[in-house]
Amino acid sequence: MMNYQSRSAFTSAERQVQQLGVEPNVEVVVESFMAIPHFIAGTRRVGIIHSALFPLAKRAAAVRAVGLPFEPTPIVNALWWHPVHSHDPEHTWMRALFEEAGRIVGAGDHT
């Protein structure tokens, strides 16, 4: 189970699995991490999902978490924009929204 799969679209954990010499037998490719639980529940498939999303995944489908056999590369989220948008009211609002979401995720409040 993969979330994206091409030379230019992949997740860091999936790439790490391949670098360890494991070439997964991909049966399904989805466009969203939250679709993964629906495609693995009731099967022998496995998928890689962010640990912060797992509580939601578990509520969506009968899945269980199993740790990776390696330390995954940390995910760093970033937002950048052209300076012309720095004072745009809509852009300022959206950046503040992302900043607030980052604080919530960083605090571990995933409800």
Side-chain angles (χ1 to χ4, degrees), residues 3-25:
N3 185 53
Y4 312 112
Q5 187 191 25
S6 73
R7 288 184 306 197
S8 62
F10 55 86
T11 65
S12 57
E14 290 163 353
R15 184 55 50 118
Q16 284 181 273
V17 167
Q18 291 172 328
Q19 289 173 339
L20 290 170
V22 176
E23 195 57 45
N25 176 24

Side-chain angles (χ1 to χ4, degrees), residues 34-111:
M34 290 312 299
I36 291 174
H38 302 288
F39 285 89
I40 64 173
T43 73
R44 295 183 52 81
R45 294 180 183 142
V46 298
I48 298 175
I49 188 170
H50 298 279
S51 60
L53 293 175
F54 184 73
L56 296 171
K58 189 172 182 175
R59 278 185 268 177
V63 295
R64 66 183 173 99
V66 177
L68 294 170
F70 57 88
E71 186 63 34
T73 302
I75 296 172
V76 177
N77 292 307
L79 178 66
W80 64 93
W81 58 93
H82 191 280
V84 73
H85 300 295
S86 292
H87 301 292
D88 178 274
E90 291 86 2
H91 207 276
T92 302
W93 172 82
M94 183 60 80
R95 291 193 313 266
L97 192 65
F98 286 135
E99 186 177 6
E100 180 183 349
R103 276 195 302 274
I104 291 169
V105 171
D109 182 11
H110 307 295
T111 58

